[in-house]
Amino acid sequence: MRHRKQSVKLGRTSSHRKALLAALVCSLIERKRIVTTLPKANLARRDAEKLVTLARQQTLAARRRAQAFLRRPAAVKELFETIAPQCGDRSGGYTRIIKTATRRGDGAPMALLEWTSVAAPAPVPKKDEPADNA
């Protein structure tokens, strides 16, 4: 029985799931917003919030713990130097999940995961769309 089991397995082994979540959080740190499935967004949100709380300590031990999870020095640097200071004295709720349409291929619920207090870059216009130069 699965009484009081808190993990969501996502149909992956534990090492695969850990690598997937680290990659999702790294992408969120680098791109400021990502589109993924709703269960993955919920798990990535949990880890991203914990990492921001860790990064707000601004200690060497916290930086090393973040590096152990993320495994990308550039993402750790971005987290500690830009994202954590922009979150200020907010006591949580660093990210938001916006539900979007279902995926066309398999009907999976999709979601947009983004930072609440970090300014996201403007969307890039597609090649076939004319850019507004006004």
Side-chain angles (χ1 to χ4, degrees):
M1 287 185 251
R2 294 196 74 237
H3 295 307
R4 297 180 59 127
K5 302 292 183 194
Q6 296 296 322
S7 65
V8 177
K9 294 188 177 183
L10 298 175
R12 290 164 171 82
T13 62
S14 61
S15 59
H16 188 184
R17 188 170 52 249
K18 187 176 177 182
L20 170 79
L21 292 175
L24 281 173
V25 174
C26 284
S27 295
L28 178 64
I29 291 169
E30 293 166 357
R31 296 187 178 103
K32 310 299 186 245
R33 66 172 53 159
I34 56 172
V35 177
T36 184
T37 61
L38 189 58
K40 288 179 193 174
N42 287 328
L43 290 177
R45 174 188 207 171
R46 181 182 69 185
D47 290 337
E49 302 254 344
K50 287 179 183 178
L51 283 172
V52 171
T53 303
L54 185 68
R56 289 179 60 197
Q57 296 174 5
Q58 295 292 326
T59 62
L60 180 61
R63 189 175 287 268
R64 287 179 175 166
R65 285 179 60 195
Q67 175 66 36
F69 180 81
L70 295 175
R71 293 175 267 182
R72 284 192 207 166
V76 174
K77 183 177 180 182
E78 179 83 13
L79 176 68
F80 275 75
E81 292 179 3
T82 60
I83 293 173
Q86 287 181 358
C87 290
D89 37 338
R90 178 186 285 254
S91 62
Y94 309 116
T95 59
R96 75 169 62 98
I97 294 177
I98 302 169
K99 295 178 185 177
T100 59
T102 58
R103 188 162 51 196
R104 188 170 175 200
D106 59 354
M110 300 298 287
L112 175 73
L113 177 63
E114 64 183 5
W115 299 108
T116 54
S117 59
V118 178
V124 179
K126 294 181 182 176
K127 291 181 181 179
D128 56 348
E129 294 179 4
D132 292 333
N133 293 332

